[in-house]
Amino acid sequence: MSRADTLGIVGAGRFGTALASVVARAGRRVIIWSRDRAVVDEIERDRRCSRMPEAPIPPSLTATTDPARLAAEARMIVLAVASTDIAERAREVGEVVDGSHLLVHAIGALASPDDARCSEVVAAATPCLRLGVLAGPAMALDLALGQFASMVIASRFDEVVAEGRRLLNAPPMLRVYGSHDLIGVELASALSGVYTIGLGLADALAVGPGSRAVLITRALAEASRLGAAMGADARTFAGLAGLGNLLVRAGGAPSAEYDQGRRLLQAVTPAERDATEGARAAVAGVRLARRAGVRMPLLEGIAAVLTGAASAKDAARLAADTVAAEE
Amino acid sequence: MTEGPDRPVREAKNRLAGFNADRERLLAEVERRVVTRIVARAAAGGEAGLEYVLNDVCYSEIHRLEGQRSRGARAQLARWRNLAGRLIDMSEDQKRAELRDLVRHYGKDVVGNFDTRVYRFANDVLPAALGFLMSPVGSLKDGFRAMNELDARIRVEGELELLHECAERGTLVITPTHSSNMDSVVIGYALERAGLPPVTYGAGKNLFSNPFISFFMRNLGAYRVDRRLRFQLYKDILKEYSTVLLENGYHSLFFPGGTRCRSNIVERNVKLGLLGTAVTAYRNNAKTVGPQRRIYVVPTTINYRLVLEAETLIDDFLAETGKSRYIIDDDEFSRIGRILEFVRKILAHEGSVVIRLGRPIDVFGNDVDDAGESIDRRGRRVDPASFVRGADGVVVDDDQRDEEYTRMLGKRLGEAFPRETVLHGTHLAARALWDHVTAAVGSRDIYRVLRAPGSLLVVPYDRAVAGVSALMLRVAGDRDAGRLHHDVAGHPPDQVLDDAVRGLGTYHTRPVVERHGDLIAVREPRLLYYYQNRTAHIAERASRTSASPGRP
């Protein structure tokens, strides 16, 4: 298959492998780049990945430790790595790609230490200008098991959205919607992890369904305010990357953020503060909101609990005491 | 980097010298492209149909001419009404023929001229004449000395060596900030003195109303832009003409802010219309003649110590009638006496106008290295053609992609302008006085300051000096805040203030400020506001930084 018809994926973690598996099962060629020789050998030799054993590895899925091969064989590349690794991985990818590549990240977090959106990190580290983000309520295990899932690909470039949809759409397992709201989808995806922690904490506090519903709607409202202040479309936060992500993670699917929220009722250990993408996004999100001059009481409350500045109960009380204004 | 007014040894080739011989070919190419595109689009039917395109022209022209009483206007009006009435019965062939005629008609109205004799006259004789005008009346000896001093009055600085390199290698698109109708004249002079080639540019048709100015504009490569023509066909012709000029290597100038900046705030939001033609031209060249035909966009600032039309511009801004008075044809520029005053009073000061030509960027907003090669944010060379290539390595037409590139380019320009701004003493003094006055009034709202009693519009001299001093330190310590004029950097703040107060007190109808002993009185708050606005980006940056807890 040609370079145009091959999807490149950076990272053979759970999500990257599951996504590669779904796309390859739809008959497309996929090449995964991992720095871990053992994982690459396992995929190539044993046709399995021990990080995501549930994901079938079809013949059209190959793996390599050579980033130059990834760039030579795929024009569209999805970066599916942790936010803590994005700067380094993007630099490595930046060594081998050129301006004709289409780079999309699938990271629901903000990058440290500058609280940058991940597309900004990719832009700084690579020569590519045509960038995008992939986000939404597609859990890695659902993808691996072939469950119905949907995601959204957002880019200011029609070409990135169209190519992403062409290469990633694998109905009925994965449907990919398109959006031009790059900033909105990135922020919605990152902040949904934070509010998932909040929902885990609320459930640990045994709040009622009404309070839970208030938490979700107020979370979307304040996230939308931040998004609008940063140039995003407020409606994006009610879509797949925002509400969709929040509902799936707090609705019973396995979620590190939700579990972390439940644990917050007990004493918070220093390691807990940045244990998940959601926790890292909470602290970064507070700084972003302050810079943008946007009031975000829920986000600040969750970040305060995570950093040990407030107890879970105090934070809940503060959030409840917030003066109600026009919705 | 080359600084200062020294004339470079090497001079870039004047490509406009061959323009007249090329003009018919360029016009034919514009006509071919515009007609082909509209006819192809019309095949989809609906509102893209030729009937709609032609009707749009008729409607707009009838609307424009209905209010006019001249015989010529009435004759034109009848012609347009006649066409509008015939449209419904015309065959597709007849509509295509009408479209071709219209494109040619408006194309001819737009297209420029370049007369090398006028160019030589303008460059050899006019500077001397301007210099003479600046001299004290009656002193021939002083007049001749002044002729040689114009270089000192209009200072050119920036990345001149690199620009020579880029002008030889590709096509320059000079994109200056826009404060005055003197801008195109001043920058034309500046490019010539810097040994850079002349550029073609679109000038408002209203500027051609003065026969003297029209003669020079017409013959120095300016093409006419009639802002009264709002229909899409005219915009298509203008854009295509600009695209074709760039593709053919004609160095160009766009004012990306659109019209003259009413507020005097350094432009941050640029208009993307003509700027987009640079991206399209690069793409077209990459497809036909190869990716090595580069186009370079040059962020440029024109920095006046005093602005000719400051009073009209700020009044227009304050009255919020910027849109309705889009075309001001009764301002200072249209009065020849005021132009002479500009020459005698504004240019009377050494370094009165500083044109700073910034480091060029490619049409995708990438920086370029000293050889003119595009580099990414890590400083590594990149092939600019890769940004318009598809998966199989072939250059692909994609208007939406190119619109996005243009937006990114505009953002880069908006970021570059404050950095390349040269701040005169008048700007710093106005800001220092404004800060004090607004603190006394309790608001930075100009309308409140305008209503404030005179007692609040007085600033102790020492406080003003301290304010100027603090601003000088801030600008010197922050690369993104701009640059201090050479008459400011390293000079005592009181000297800078005194000089600025003299300048602000001399040119305008009423003195902007006056010194009375240990006090400086603000006489024209609106003009003080206008001049201090040139430093508005410094305040913006300061407030953003203070809103960032945890950051140094």
Side-chain angles (χ1 to χ4, degrees), chain A residues 3-4 75 90-91 94-95 98-100 114-115 123-130 156-159 180 287 290-291, chain B residues 364 366 376-378 380 382 386-393 398 400-401 404-405 407-408 544 547-549 551:
Chain A
R3 183 170 171 256
R75 180 177 177 235
R91 275 189 81 81
E95 296 292 338
D98 65 25
S100 69
D114 298 324
D115 315 327
T126 72
C128 302
L129 299 177
R130 286 171 274 184
R156 294 190 63 105
F157 290 88
D158 282 355
E159 183 186 13
H180 281 116
R287 286 192 293 257
R290 285 186 186 158
R291 283 207 288 278
Chain B
F364 307 103
N366 294 302
D376 70 7
R377 291 210 234 171
R378 288 164 63 183
R380 298 166 311 163
V382 289
S386 65
F387 299 110
V388 287
R389 286 202 178 110
D392 53 3
D398 181 341
Q400 193 278 337
R401 174 199 66 199
E404 190 54 30
Y405 284 144
R407 193 189 64 80
M408 294 161 91
R544 274 208 302 272
S548 311
R551 289 197 158 201

Short mmCIF file of all heavy atoms in Angstrom, two decimals, chain A residues 3-4 75 90-91 94-95 98-100 114-115 123-130 156-159 180 287 290-291, chain B residues 364 366 376-378 380 382 386-393 398 400-401 404-405 407-408 544 547-549 551:
data_model
loop_
_atom_site.label_atom_id
_atom_site.label_comp_id
_atom_site.label_asym_id
_atom_site.label_seq_id
_atom_site.Cartn_x
_atom_site.Cartn_y
_atom_site.Cartn_z
N ARG A 3 2.16 5.24 0.63
CA ARG A 3 2.40 6.07 1.81
C ARG A 3 1.11 6.78 2.23
O ARG A 3 0.85 6.97 3.41
CB ARG A 3 3.48 7.07 1.43
CG ARG A 3 3.96 7.99 2.48
CD ARG A 3 5.19 8.72 1.95
NE ARG A 3 5.57 9.79 2.84
CZ ARG A 3 5.35 11.08 2.61
NH1 ARG A 3 4.73 11.44 1.49
NH2 ARG A 3 5.73 11.99 3.47
N ALA A 4 0.29 7.16 1.24
CA ALA A 4 -0.96 7.86 1.56
C ALA A 4 -1.94 6.95 2.28
O ALA A 4 -2.76 7.43 3.06
CB ALA A 4 -1.58 8.39 0.28
N ARG A 75 2.36 8.99 5.76
CA ARG A 75 2.30 10.46 5.73
C ARG A 75 1.53 10.97 6.94
O ARG A 75 1.90 12.00 7.51
CB ARG A 75 1.61 10.91 4.45
CG ARG A 75 1.50 12.42 4.35
CD ARG A 75 0.88 12.81 3.03
NE ARG A 75 0.71 14.23 2.93
CZ ARG A 75 -0.45 14.82 2.66
NH1 ARG A 75 -1.54 14.09 2.46
NH2 ARG A 75 -0.54 16.12 2.58
N ALA A 90 8.20 13.95 20.18
CA ALA A 90 8.00 14.89 19.06
C ALA A 90 9.35 15.33 18.49
O ALA A 90 9.49 15.49 17.28
CB ALA A 90 7.19 16.10 19.52
N ARG A 91 10.31 15.50 19.34
CA ARG A 91 11.65 15.88 18.86
C ARG A 91 12.22 14.78 17.96
O ARG A 91 12.80 15.05 16.92
CB ARG A 91 12.61 16.11 20.03
CG ARG A 91 12.56 17.50 20.61
CD ARG A 91 13.68 17.71 21.62
NE ARG A 91 14.94 18.04 20.97
CZ ARG A 91 15.28 19.25 20.54
NH1 ARG A 91 14.44 20.25 20.67
NH2 ARG A 91 16.45 19.46 19.98
N GLY A 94 10.42 14.78 14.84
CA GLY A 94 10.82 15.99 14.10
C GLY A 94 12.10 15.80 13.30
O GLY A 94 12.34 16.51 12.32
N GLU A 95 12.92 14.85 13.70
CA GLU A 95 14.18 14.60 12.97
C GLU A 95 13.93 13.92 11.64
O GLU A 95 14.78 13.97 10.75
CB GLU A 95 15.11 13.70 13.81
CG GLU A 95 15.58 14.32 15.12
CD GLU A 95 16.52 15.49 14.89
OE1 GLU A 95 17.13 15.56 13.81
OE2 GLU A 95 16.61 16.35 15.80
N ASP A 98 8.93 15.74 7.32
CA ASP A 98 9.07 17.05 6.66
C ASP A 98 7.70 17.72 6.62
O ASP A 98 6.74 17.22 7.19
CB ASP A 98 9.70 16.90 5.26
CG ASP A 98 8.80 16.12 4.30
OD1 ASP A 98 7.57 16.10 4.50
OD2 ASP A 98 9.34 15.55 3.33
N GLY A 99 7.65 18.86 5.94
CA GLY A 99 6.42 19.65 5.95
C GLY A 99 5.23 18.98 5.30
O GLY A 99 4.10 19.46 5.43
N SER A 100 5.45 17.88 4.58
CA SER A 100 4.32 17.23 3.92
C SER A 100 3.58 16.27 4.86
O SER A 100 2.50 15.80 4.53
CB SER A 100 4.80 16.46 2.68
OG SER A 100 5.57 15.35 3.05
N ASP A 114 5.24 23.87 30.52
CA ASP A 114 4.69 25.16 30.13
C ASP A 114 3.17 25.20 30.02
O ASP A 114 2.62 26.17 29.54
CB ASP A 114 5.29 25.59 28.78
CG ASP A 114 6.78 25.76 28.87
OD1 ASP A 114 7.24 26.22 29.92
OD2 ASP A 114 7.49 25.41 27.91
N ASP A 115 2.50 24.13 30.41
CA ASP A 115 1.04 24.06 30.30
C ASP A 115 0.59 24.24 28.85
O ASP A 115 -0.49 24.78 28.59
CB ASP A 115 0.35 25.12 31.17
CG ASP A 115 0.96 25.20 32.56
OD1 ASP A 115 1.38 24.14 33.04
OD2 ASP A 115 1.03 26.30 33.11
N ALA A 123 4.27 21.41 17.29
CA ALA A 123 4.64 22.48 16.35
C ALA A 123 6.05 23.00 16.63
O ALA A 123 6.79 23.32 15.71
CB ALA A 123 3.64 23.63 16.44
N ALA A 124 6.42 23.05 17.90
CA ALA A 124 7.73 23.58 18.26
C ALA A 124 8.85 22.59 17.95
O ALA A 124 9.99 22.99 17.71
CB ALA A 124 7.76 23.95 19.73
N ALA A 125 8.53 21.30 17.94
CA ALA A 125 9.57 20.28 17.82
C ALA A 125 9.72 19.71 16.42
O ALA A 125 10.69 19.01 16.14
CB ALA A 125 9.28 19.15 18.80
N THR A 126 8.76 20.00 15.55
CA THR A 126 8.81 19.40 14.21
C THR A 126 8.64 20.50 13.16
O THR A 126 8.17 21.59 13.47
CB THR A 126 7.67 18.37 14.01
OG1 THR A 126 6.43 19.09 13.88
CG2 THR A 126 7.57 17.40 15.18
N PRO A 127 8.97 20.20 11.91
CA PRO A 127 8.74 21.21 10.86
C PRO A 127 7.29 21.23 10.38
O PRO A 127 6.94 22.06 9.54
CB PRO A 127 9.68 20.75 9.73
CG PRO A 127 9.84 19.30 9.93
CD PRO A 127 9.71 19.03 11.40
N CYS A 128 6.46 20.33 10.89
CA CYS A 128 5.10 20.18 10.35
C CYS A 128 4.20 21.33 10.77
O CYS A 128 4.28 21.83 11.90
CB CYS A 128 4.49 18.87 10.83
SG CYS A 128 5.48 17.45 10.34
N LEU A 129 3.33 21.73 9.87
CA LEU A 129 2.35 22.78 10.16
C LEU A 129 0.93 22.22 10.17
O LEU A 129 0.05 22.78 10.79
CB LEU A 129 2.45 23.89 9.11
CG LEU A 129 3.79 24.62 9.02
CD1 LEU A 129 3.76 25.64 7.88
CD2 LEU A 129 4.11 25.33 10.33
N ARG A 130 0.73 21.14 9.45
CA ARG A 130 -0.61 20.56 9.38
C ARG A 130 -0.77 19.58 10.53
O ARG A 130 -0.33 18.44 10.46
CB ARG A 130 -0.81 19.89 8.01
CG ARG A 130 -0.98 20.90 6.90
CD ARG A 130 -0.97 20.28 5.53
NE ARG A 130 0.36 20.12 4.99
CZ ARG A 130 0.63 19.67 3.78
NH1 ARG A 130 -0.35 19.31 2.98
NH2 ARG A 130 1.87 19.56 3.36
N ARG A 156 -7.35 22.60 12.08
CA ARG A 156 -7.79 23.76 11.31
C ARG A 156 -7.69 23.47 9.82
O ARG A 156 -8.18 24.23 9.00
CB ARG A 156 -6.96 24.99 11.69
CG ARG A 156 -7.21 25.43 13.13
CD ARG A 156 -6.58 26.75 13.41
NE ARG A 156 -7.20 27.77 12.58
CZ ARG A 156 -8.07 28.68 13.02
NH1 ARG A 156 -8.41 28.70 14.27
NH2 ARG A 156 -8.57 29.57 12.20
N PHE A 157 -7.02 22.38 9.48
CA PHE A 157 -6.85 22.02 8.07
C PHE A 157 -7.87 20.94 7.69
O PHE A 157 -7.88 19.85 8.25
CB PHE A 157 -5.44 21.47 7.84
CG PHE A 157 -4.37 22.51 7.95
CD1 PHE A 157 -3.78 22.80 9.17
CD2 PHE A 157 -3.94 23.21 6.83
CE1 PHE A 157 -2.79 23.76 9.28
CE2 PHE A 157 -2.95 24.18 6.92
CZ PHE A 157 -2.37 24.45 8.15
N ASP A 158 -8.69 21.26 6.69
CA ASP A 158 -9.65 20.26 6.15
C ASP A 158 -8.93 18.98 5.77
O ASP A 158 -9.44 17.88 5.96
CB ASP A 158 -10.32 20.81 4.88
CG ASP A 158 -11.41 21.81 5.20
OD1 ASP A 158 -11.71 22.00 6.40
OD2 ASP A 158 -11.95 22.41 4.24
N GLU A 159 -7.75 19.15 5.21
CA GLU A 159 -6.99 18.00 4.70
C GLU A 159 -6.68 17.01 5.83
O GLU A 159 -6.78 15.79 5.65
CB GLU A 159 -5.69 18.52 4.08
CG GLU A 159 -4.82 17.48 3.46
CD GLU A 159 -3.48 18.06 3.01
OE1 GLU A 159 -3.15 19.20 3.40
OE2 GLU A 159 -2.77 17.35 2.28
N HIS A 180 -13.14 21.49 13.23
CA HIS A 180 -12.06 22.45 12.99
C HIS A 180 -11.53 23.03 14.29
O HIS A 180 -10.59 23.83 14.28
CB HIS A 180 -12.57 23.60 12.11
CG HIS A 180 -12.63 23.23 10.67
ND1 HIS A 180 -13.79 23.18 9.96
CD2 HIS A 180 -11.65 22.87 9.81
CE1 HIS A 180 -13.53 22.81 8.73
NE2 HIS A 180 -12.23 22.61 8.61
N ARG A 287 -3.39 27.08 36.20
CA ARG A 287 -2.49 28.15 35.76
C ARG A 287 -3.01 28.79 34.47
O ARG A 287 -3.00 30.01 34.32
CB ARG A 287 -1.08 27.60 35.55
CG ARG A 287 -0.35 27.30 36.85
CD ARG A 287 1.14 27.05 36.59
NE ARG A 287 1.36 25.82 35.85
CZ ARG A 287 1.78 24.67 36.39
NH1 ARG A 287 2.06 24.62 37.69
NH2 ARG A 287 1.96 23.62 35.66
N ARG A 290 -5.97 31.06 35.26
CA ARG A 290 -5.56 32.33 35.88
C ARG A 290 -5.00 33.28 34.84
O ARG A 290 -5.27 34.47 34.86
CB ARG A 290 -4.53 32.07 36.99
CG ARG A 290 -5.21 31.49 38.22
CD ARG A 290 -4.26 31.35 39.38
NE ARG A 290 -4.94 30.67 40.47
CZ ARG A 290 -4.33 30.02 41.43
NH1 ARG A 290 -3.00 29.97 41.46
NH2 ARG A 290 -5.01 29.43 42.38
N ARG A 291 -4.20 32.71 33.95
CA ARG A 291 -3.63 33.57 32.90
C ARG A 291 -4.73 34.13 32.00
O ARG A 291 -4.65 35.26 31.54
CB ARG A 291 -2.62 32.78 32.06
CG ARG A 291 -1.29 32.58 32.74
CD ARG A 291 -0.17 32.43 31.70
NE ARG A 291 -0.23 31.16 31.01
CZ ARG A 291 0.26 30.02 31.47
NH1 ARG A 291 0.84 30.00 32.66
NH2 ARG A 291 0.19 28.91 30.79
N PHE B 364 4.92 30.69 4.69
CA PHE B 364 4.26 29.84 5.68
C PHE B 364 4.54 30.31 7.10
O PHE B 364 4.17 29.65 8.07
CB PHE B 364 4.70 28.38 5.49
CG PHE B 364 4.51 27.91 4.08
CD1 PHE B 364 5.58 27.80 3.21
CD2 PHE B 364 3.24 27.62 3.61
CE1 PHE B 364 5.39 27.40 1.89
CE2 PHE B 364 3.03 27.24 2.30
CZ PHE B 364 4.12 27.12 1.44
N ASN B 366 7.57 30.64 8.36
CA ASN B 366 8.85 30.14 8.87
C ASN B 366 9.93 31.21 8.78
O ASN B 366 9.95 31.99 7.82
CB ASN B 366 9.33 28.93 8.06
CG ASN B 366 8.42 27.73 8.21
OD1 ASN B 366 8.22 27.25 9.33
ND2 ASN B 366 7.87 27.25 7.11
N ASP B 376 12.89 25.64 10.43
CA ASP B 376 11.80 25.39 11.37
C ASP B 376 12.14 26.02 12.72
O ASP B 376 13.17 26.71 12.86
CB ASP B 376 11.47 23.89 11.49
CG ASP B 376 12.56 23.09 12.19
OD1 ASP B 376 13.52 23.69 12.72
OD2 ASP B 376 12.46 21.85 12.22
N ARG B 377 11.30 25.78 13.72
CA ARG B 377 11.49 26.47 14.99
C ARG B 377 12.73 25.98 15.73
O ARG B 377 13.18 26.59 16.68
CB ARG B 377 10.25 26.30 15.87
CG ARG B 377 9.08 27.05 15.29
CD ARG B 377 8.16 27.50 16.38
NE ARG B 377 6.81 27.05 16.14
CZ ARG B 377 5.82 27.14 17.01
NH1 ARG B 377 6.04 27.63 18.20
NH2 ARG B 377 4.62 26.72 16.71
N ARG B 378 13.27 24.85 15.27
CA ARG B 378 14.51 24.37 15.86
C ARG B 378 15.72 24.83 15.05
O ARG B 378 16.85 24.42 15.32
CB ARG B 378 14.48 22.84 15.96
CG ARG B 378 13.52 22.36 17.04
CD ARG B 378 13.18 20.89 16.89
NE ARG B 378 14.32 20.02 17.04
CZ ARG B 378 14.28 18.70 16.88
NH1 ARG B 378 13.13 18.12 16.59
NH2 ARG B 378 15.36 17.97 17.03
N ARG B 380 16.35 24.18 11.88
CA ARG B 380 16.80 23.26 10.83
C ARG B 380 16.16 23.64 9.50
O ARG B 380 15.00 24.05 9.45
CB ARG B 380 16.42 21.82 11.20
CG ARG B 380 17.09 21.36 12.49
CD ARG B 380 16.45 20.10 12.99
NE ARG B 380 15.00 20.23 13.03
CZ ARG B 380 14.17 19.20 13.12
NH1 ARG B 380 14.64 17.99 13.18
NH2 ARG B 380 12.87 19.39 13.17
N VAL B 382 14.20 23.60 6.15
CA VAL B 382 13.05 22.84 5.65
C VAL B 382 12.78 23.27 4.22
O VAL B 382 13.07 24.40 3.83
CB VAL B 382 11.78 23.07 6.51
CG1 VAL B 382 11.90 22.41 7.85
CG2 VAL B 382 11.46 24.55 6.66
N SER B 386 7.45 21.51 0.66
CA SER B 386 6.85 20.34 1.33
C SER B 386 5.50 20.69 1.96
O SER B 386 4.66 19.83 2.16
CB SER B 386 7.80 19.78 2.40
OG SER B 386 7.97 20.72 3.45
N PHE B 387 5.27 21.98 2.24
CA PHE B 387 4.01 22.37 2.87
C PHE B 387 2.84 22.38 1.89
O PHE B 387 1.69 22.52 2.31
CB PHE B 387 4.16 23.75 3.53
CG PHE B 387 5.22 23.76 4.60
CD1 PHE B 387 6.42 24.42 4.41
CD2 PHE B 387 5.02 23.07 5.78
CE1 PHE B 387 7.41 24.40 5.38
CE2 PHE B 387 6.01 23.04 6.76
CZ PHE B 387 7.20 23.70 6.56
N VAL B 388 3.14 22.31 0.60
CA VAL B 388 2.04 22.28 -0.37
C VAL B 388 2.03 20.95 -1.13
O VAL B 388 1.31 20.80 -2.11
CB VAL B 388 2.13 23.46 -1.37
CG1 VAL B 388 1.74 24.75 -0.67
CG2 VAL B 388 3.51 23.60 -1.99
N ARG B 389 2.83 20.02 -0.65
CA ARG B 389 2.88 18.72 -1.32
C ARG B 389 1.90 17.75 -0.67
O ARG B 389 1.65 17.80 0.53
CB ARG B 389 4.28 18.13 -1.25
CG ARG B 389 5.26 18.81 -2.17
CD ARG B 389 6.45 17.92 -2.48
NE ARG B 389 7.32 18.61 -3.41
CZ ARG B 389 8.53 19.08 -3.10
NH1 ARG B 389 9.01 18.91 -1.88
NH2 ARG B 389 9.25 19.70 -3.99
N GLY B 390 1.40 16.84 -1.49
CA GLY B 390 0.55 15.76 -0.99
C GLY B 390 1.37 14.52 -0.72
O GLY B 390 2.61 14.57 -0.69
N ALA B 391 0.68 13.40 -0.52
CA ALA B 391 1.35 12.17 -0.11
C ALA B 391 2.34 11.67 -1.16
O ALA B 391 3.37 11.09 -0.83
CB ALA B 391 0.30 11.09 0.17
N ASP B 392 2.04 11.89 -2.44
CA ASP B 392 2.92 11.37 -3.48
C ASP B 392 4.00 12.37 -3.89
O ASP B 392 4.68 12.19 -4.91
CB ASP B 392 2.09 10.95 -4.70
CG ASP B 392 1.18 12.07 -5.17
OD1 ASP B 392 1.27 13.18 -4.58
OD2 ASP B 392 0.40 11.86 -6.11
N GLY B 393 4.14 13.44 -3.11
CA GLY B 393 5.22 14.40 -3.38
C GLY B 393 4.88 15.45 -4.42
O GLY B 393 5.71 16.28 -4.75
N ASP B 398 -5.00 23.45 -2.80
CA ASP B 398 -5.93 23.27 -1.68
C ASP B 398 -6.13 24.66 -1.07
O ASP B 398 -5.33 25.12 -0.26
CB ASP B 398 -5.35 22.29 -0.67
CG ASP B 398 -6.28 22.02 0.51
OD1 ASP B 398 -7.21 22.84 0.74
OD2 ASP B 398 -6.09 21.02 1.22
N GLN B 400 -8.34 25.83 1.03
CA GLN B 400 -8.57 25.91 2.49
C GLN B 400 -7.25 25.80 3.24
O GLN B 400 -7.00 26.54 4.20
CB GLN B 400 -9.54 24.80 2.93
CG GLN B 400 -10.10 24.97 4.34
CD GLN B 400 -9.16 24.47 5.45
OE1 GLN B 400 -8.29 23.64 5.21
NE2 GLN B 400 -9.33 25.01 6.65
N ARG B 401 -6.40 24.91 2.80
CA ARG B 401 -5.08 24.76 3.43
C ARG B 401 -4.31 26.08 3.33
O ARG B 401 -3.73 26.54 4.33
CB ARG B 401 -4.31 23.64 2.70
CG ARG B 401 -2.87 23.46 3.14
CD ARG B 401 -2.08 22.70 2.10
NE ARG B 401 -1.96 23.48 0.87
CZ ARG B 401 -1.66 22.98 -0.32
NH1 ARG B 401 -1.43 21.70 -0.47
NH2 ARG B 401 -1.58 23.76 -1.39
N GLU B 404 -5.41 28.73 5.64
CA GLU B 404 -4.89 28.49 7.00
C GLU B 404 -3.43 28.92 7.10
O GLU B 404 -3.01 29.52 8.10
CB GLU B 404 -5.06 27.01 7.35
CG GLU B 404 -4.81 26.67 8.79
CD GLU B 404 -5.64 27.49 9.75
OE1 GLU B 404 -6.76 27.91 9.41
OE2 GLU B 404 -5.14 27.76 10.85
N TYR B 405 -2.65 28.61 6.07
CA TYR B 405 -1.26 29.08 6.06
C TYR B 405 -1.21 30.61 6.11
O TYR B 405 -0.36 31.19 6.78
CB TYR B 405 -0.54 28.59 4.80
CG TYR B 405 -0.15 27.13 4.81
CD1 TYR B 405 -0.19 26.37 3.64
CD2 TYR B 405 0.29 26.51 5.97
CE1 TYR B 405 0.18 25.04 3.62
CE2 TYR B 405 0.65 25.16 5.96
CZ TYR B 405 0.60 24.44 4.79
OH TYR B 405 0.98 23.13 4.79
N ARG B 407 -3.41 32.57 7.44
CA ARG B 407 -3.75 32.99 8.81
C ARG B 407 -2.51 32.87 9.71
O ARG B 407 -2.22 33.75 10.53
CB ARG B 407 -4.88 32.11 9.35
CG ARG B 407 -5.53 32.62 10.61
CD ARG B 407 -6.48 31.57 11.18
NE ARG B 407 -5.80 30.36 11.60
CZ ARG B 407 -5.15 30.22 12.75
NH1 ARG B 407 -5.13 31.20 13.62
NH2 ARG B 407 -4.52 29.10 13.05
N MET B 408 -1.76 31.79 9.53
CA MET B 408 -0.55 31.60 10.35
C MET B 408 0.50 32.67 10.01
O MET B 408 1.19 33.20 10.89
CB MET B 408 0.03 30.20 10.10
CG MET B 408 -0.87 29.08 10.61
SD MET B 408 -0.51 27.47 9.87
CE MET B 408 0.64 26.84 11.03
N ARG B 544 -0.29 40.89 30.88
CA ARG B 544 -0.31 39.43 30.72
C ARG B 544 0.67 38.78 31.68
O ARG B 544 0.38 37.77 32.29
CB ARG B 544 0.05 39.05 29.28
CG ARG B 544 -1.13 39.06 28.36
CD ARG B 544 -0.90 38.06 27.23
NE ARG B 544 0.29 38.35 26.48
CZ ARG B 544 0.33 39.17 25.44
NH1 ARG B 544 -0.74 39.77 25.06
NH2 ARG B 544 1.46 39.36 24.79
N ALA B 547 -0.50 38.59 35.21
CA ALA B 547 -1.60 37.64 35.44
C ALA B 547 -1.13 36.20 35.39
O ALA B 547 -1.89 35.29 35.22
CB ALA B 547 -2.69 37.88 34.40
N SER B 548 0.17 36.00 35.45
CA SER B 548 0.69 34.65 35.35
C SER B 548 1.42 34.25 36.63
O SER B 548 2.65 34.29 36.69
CB SER B 548 1.67 34.56 34.17
OG SER B 548 1.09 35.10 33.03
N PRO B 549 0.68 33.88 37.68
CA PRO B 549 1.34 33.53 38.92
C PRO B 549 2.25 32.33 38.74
O PRO B 549 1.94 31.43 37.97
CB PRO B 549 0.17 33.21 39.85
CG PRO B 549 -0.96 32.87 38.95
CD PRO B 549 -0.77 33.66 37.73
N ARG B 551 5.07 32.36 37.37
CA ARG B 551 6.03 32.53 36.27
C ARG B 551 6.95 33.69 36.59
O ARG B 551 6.51 34.66 37.17
CB ARG B 551 5.29 32.82 34.97
CG ARG B 551 4.56 31.62 34.48
CD ARG B 551 4.19 31.80 33.04
NE ARG B 551 3.97 30.49 32.45
CZ ARG B 551 4.02 30.24 31.18
NH1 ARG B 551 4.33 31.18 30.34
NH2 ARG B 551 3.79 29.05 30.70
#
